[in-house]
């Protein structure tokens, strides 16, 4: 079958009534997650993995995996839509990729143009979502066919690039990010070794022989980490919300935003493909680009419509672009896609080049559902934006118990282990500590997900070469990935050192 036939089959899967329901629930919860400051797509997706496992328990394995990933992906790109609401109305980003939107979005709201800003953000997000999905359809099959030619050495180097990229761009300190990456890799080694059958780091504790469960770690670090932060720091700020008047943007505003939406969509997509770059970087770059090419750069920061249209388009395009390396190469390029990958692996579905051959229902059903989800989001966000704005005012004394209940009952329903509940609470406290001291959590989760695959491919490559490390450096593709990994780690350090030296010279 050609790509169009696969896509039509995907729509057949996505249009089944319960998958439509899962897509709707996913984008609805995703928008709410984006609107609520502090939760973010990573926490939202991690929190809902055990819920989807419980809901889809009665379905056949392939259908359960498809329905679950449709809902979780809906939360992911839905959160990108919702993040703009608090940025514009409260000057408080719902998640990191919406930070740039506050610069002009809140200024527009103060001038009584909150409705226009929210509408342009929704339209830009929709256009970006469709552009990236068309690109995903065009690139999915060729990339997966290319990846099928990879050997163990190439896969090892590619996964190393994924880890290096996220570590190189996560947080303020590369050292802290690398510490977290290594911690994730070490956690991944706990349990019984698949080759020798010997227990590693189990300390004769029977519970540890099965290994550390990804789900417990993810929910604990992200969801409960935020809960502990709110409780311990008594985070109860009350900010004045801007009023929403006319929701429809003027013809002039639509005309002004058309170019920024197109440029933001294309730029965001290509940045999203790069492992580790992510939606935050895409939104910053698109804003800088618009300011550079503008005839009047001074209007940026005072309520320029382009300052809302470009970053909001870019962060949605980046979230769609990040699905390409995840689905075609099996490399999650961000914390959220790492969690999505872990969810797929829970259903015995391995993302990567064989996904489109072994599980076409899952791959193409997901892609088709993203088309439907984007339309749902546009319909939801334009007329119901005032309703979503009310979610911002949800008192934290009601929100926190709900998150705790979902976390505990969800993890116990999947794991049925009291030890996992204790680990969950422990990870919540660790997550709070890590956030407080600026240790990025995404590299740890990525290390935990990719660790077993990196080890297996390293062993396979060395078995084929009789213990010789030469193929990692003599095979062109493998060498290319290794060079890119080194550059990704070294360049931010060099730029930081150069920045410090410039400051010292200026002071001198």
């Amino acid at each position: 079958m050609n790509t169009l036939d696969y896509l039509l089959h995907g729509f057949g899967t996505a249009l089944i009534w319960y998958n439509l329901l899962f897509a709707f629930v996913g984008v609805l919860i995703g928008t709410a997650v984006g609107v609520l400051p502090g939760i973010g797509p990573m926490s939202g997706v991690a929190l809902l993995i055990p819920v989807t496992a419980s809901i889809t328990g009665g379905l056949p394995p392939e259908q359960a995996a498809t329905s679950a990933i449709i809902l979780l992906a809906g939360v992911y790109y839905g959160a990108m839509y919702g993040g703009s609401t608090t940025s514009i109305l409260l000057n408080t980003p719902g998640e990191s990729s919406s930070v740039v939107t506050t610069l002009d979005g809140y200024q527009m709201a103060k001038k009584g143009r909150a409705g226009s800003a929210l509408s342009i953000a929704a339209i830009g997000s929709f256009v970006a979502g469709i552009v990236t999905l068309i690109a995903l359809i065009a690139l999915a099959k060729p990339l997966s066919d290319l990846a099928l030619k990879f050997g163990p050495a190439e896969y090892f180097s590619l996964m190393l690039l994924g880890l290096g990229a996220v570590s190189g761009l996560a947080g303020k300190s590369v050292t802290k990010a690398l510490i977290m990456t290594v911690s994730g890799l070490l956690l991944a080694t706990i349990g019984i070794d698949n080759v020798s059958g010997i227990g590693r780091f189990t300390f004769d504790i029977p519970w540890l022989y099965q290994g550390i469960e990804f789900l417990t770690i993810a929910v604990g670090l992200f969801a409960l980490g935020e809960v502990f932060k709110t409780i311990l720091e008594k985070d109860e700020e009350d900010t004045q919300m801007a009023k929403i008047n006319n929701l429809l943007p003027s013809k002039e505003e639509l005309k002004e935003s058309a170019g920024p939406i197109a440029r933001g969509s294309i730029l965001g997509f290509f940045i999203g493909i790069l492992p580790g770059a992510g939606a935050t970087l895409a939104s910053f770059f698109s804003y800088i680009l618009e300011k550079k090419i503008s005839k009047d750069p001074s209007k940026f920061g005072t309520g320029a419509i382009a300052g809302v249209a470009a970053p909001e388009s870019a962060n949605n395009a980046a979230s769609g672009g990040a699905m390409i390396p995840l689905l075609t190469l099996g490399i999650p390029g961000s914390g959220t896609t790492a969690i999505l990958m872990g969810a797929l692996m829970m259903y015995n579905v391995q993302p990567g080049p064989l996904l489109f051959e072994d599980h076409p229902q899952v791959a193409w059903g997901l892609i088709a559902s993203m088309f439907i989800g984007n339309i749902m989001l546009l319909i939801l966000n334009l007329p119901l934006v005032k309703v979503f704005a009310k979610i911002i005012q949800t008192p934290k004394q009601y929100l926190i118990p709900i998150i705790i209940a979902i976390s505990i009952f969800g993890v116990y329903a999947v794991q049925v282990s009291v030890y996992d509940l204790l680990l969950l609470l422990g990870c919540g406290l660790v997550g709070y500590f890590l956030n407080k001291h600026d240790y990025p959590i995404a590299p740890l989760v990525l290390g935990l997900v990719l660790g077993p695959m990196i080890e297996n491919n390293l062993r396979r490559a060395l078995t084929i070469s009789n213990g010789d490390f030469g193929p990692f450096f003599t095979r062109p593709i493998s060498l290319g990935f290794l060079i890119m990994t080194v550059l990704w780690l070294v360049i931010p350090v060099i730029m930081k050192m150069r920045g410090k030296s410039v400051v010292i010279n200026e002071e001198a």
Side-chain angles (χ1 to χ4, degrees):
M1 287 195 293
N2 59 30
T3 302
L4 186 59
D5 291 329
Y6 279 118
L7 184 61
L8 290 172
H9 276 81
F11 273 107
T13 301
L15 290 169
I16 298 170
W17 71 269
Y18 54 81
N19 283 338
L20 281 173
L21 183 62
F22 279 125
F24 177 76
V25 170
V27 298
L28 185 66
I29 293 173
T31 306
V33 162
V35 164
L36 290 166
I39 296 181
M42 279 192 283
S43 301
V45 173
L47 198 60
L48 283 169
I49 291 174
V51 177
T52 56
S54 303
I55 295 171
T56 59
L59 296 171
E62 189 90 352
Q63 289 180 26
T66 307
S67 300
I69 200 66
I70 282 173
L71 191 150
L72 295 172
V75 175
Y76 176 34
Y77 56 84
M80 296 298 167
Y81 270 72
S84 61
T85 307
T86 46
S87 296
I88 292 165
L89 297 180
L90 286 177
N91 200 27
T92 308
E95 22 79 35
S96 59
S97 61
S98 295
V99 170
V100 188
T101 310
T102 61
L103 301 176
D104 284 279
Y106 188 61
Q107 295 301 320
M108 286 183 69
K110 283 168 69 177
K111 294 175 180 177
R113 296 164 63 204
S116 295
L118 289 164
S119 296
I120 289 297
I123 293 165
S125 298
F126 173 75
V127 172
I130 298 301
V131 166
T132 52
L133 280 168
I134 292 167
L136 175 58
I137 291 163
L139 294 176
K141 209 74 176 91
L143 271 179
S144 58
D145 289 342
L146 174 67
L148 282 171
K149 297 172 184 174
F150 286 8
E154 283 82 5
Y155 268 112
F156 170 80
S157 303
L158 178 63
M159 287 170 187
L160 217 58
L161 170 62
L163 280 179
V166 171
S167 302
L169 292 171
K172 297 173 185 174
S173 168
V174 175
T175 307
K176 286 181 178 179
L178 287 173
I179 289 169
M180 297 303 289
T181 303
V182 173
S183 300
L185 291 171
L186 289 172
L187 285 173
T189 62
I190 296 172
I192 295 175
D193 179 19
N194 291 330
V195 176
S196 64
I198 297 170
R200 299 186 296 188
F201 305 109
T202 55
F203 308 102
D204 293 325
I205 300 170
W207 169 66
L208 287 177
Y209 279 98
Q210 65 183 355
I212 297 292
E213 181 55 45
F214 151 82
L215 171 66
T216 310
I217 297 285
V219 175
L221 289 176
F222 290 111
L224 284 192
E226 282 297 329
V227 167
F228 281 118
K229 181 185 174 185
T230 306
I231 293 170
L232 295 171
E233 296 184 2
K234 295 182 173 59
D235 184 17
E236 294 181 0
E237 73 284 347
D238 186 31
T239 316
Q240 188 65 36
M241 189 168 74
K243 289 184 179 180
I244 305 168
N245 298 318
N246 184 25
L247 272 173
L248 293 174
S250 65
K251 285 183 179 178
E252 185 65 28
E253 286 172 329
L254 284 170
K255 189 178 176 183
E256 275 184 54
S257 58
I261 287 172
R263 287 187 290 270
S265 300
I266 295 165
L267 180 66
F269 170 73
F270 284 109
I271 291 173
I273 292 175
L274 299 172
T280 306
L281 206 63
S283 61
F284 271 98
F285 278 172
S286 66
Y287 187 85
I288 292 164
L289 174 67
E290 290 306 316
K291 197 171 180 180
K292 287 278 184 189
I293 64 173
S294 174
K295 293 177 182 176
D296 183 14
S298 60
K299 67 182 179 181
F300 282 82
T302 62
I305 195 78
V308 174
E312 281 301 308
S313 303
N315 70 34
N316 275 271
S319 67
M323 298 297 283
I324 290 180
L326 172 68
L327 297 177
T328 60
L329 303 174
I331 297 295
S334 66
T336 314
T337 49
I339 293 169
L340 287 172
M341 183 173 179
L344 280 169
M345 290 167 71
M346 276 179 58
Y347 289 96
N348 295 317
V349 174
Q350 176 65 58
L354 291 174
L355 176 68
F356 289 86
E357 287 190 16
D358 295 347
H359 305 282
Q361 180 184 340
V362 177
W364 292 104
L366 169 62
I367 291 169
S369 76
M370 287 171 75
F371 268 107
I372 296 163
N374 269 282
I375 294 167
M376 287 178 176
L377 278 166
L378 188 66
I379 294 167
L380 279 171
N381 273 265
L382 286 176
L384 298 180
V385 71
K386 291 183 181 180
V387 177
F388 285 119
K390 291 286 181 188
I391 295 173
I392 302 169
Q393 298 165 326
T394 305
K396 288 184 178 174
Q397 61 262 35
Y398 300 129
L399 195 63
I400 288 169
I402 292 169
I403 294 171
I404 293 171
I406 293 171
S407 300
I408 292 173
F409 289 120
V411 167
Y412 188 78
V414 175
Q415 297 303 116
V416 198
S417 167
V418 175
Y419 293 107
D420 273 280
L421 293 183
L422 294 173
L423 178 63
L424 176 73
L425 293 172
C427 285
L429 287 168
V430 171
Y432 164 69
F433 170 82
L434 294 173
N435 269 321
K436 188 176 176 65
H437 294 88
D438 287 323
Y439 283 87
I441 298 171
L444 186 146
V445 174
L446 203 59
L448 185 63
V449 172
L450 290 182
M453 290 183 284
I454 288 175
E455 184 184 4
N456 290 338
N457 281 294
L458 176 62
R459 280 179 162 180
R460 284 173 58 208
L462 291 174
T463 302
I464 293 166
S465 65
N466 292 320
D468 181 14
F469 283 90
F472 293 103
F473 304 99
T474 55
R475 295 171 73 99
I477 295 175
S478 176
L479 179 62
F481 287 145
L482 290 173
I483 291 169
M484 287 169 69
T485 304
V486 172
L487 290 174
W488 220 296
L489 291 172
V490 171
I491 287 172
V493 177
I494 293 171
M495 288 176 72
K496 197 173 182 180
M497 288 170 69
R498 282 186 65 186
K500 282 182 180 177
S501 67
V502 167
V503 171
I504 291 166
N505 289 335
E506 283 178 354
E507 287 175 352

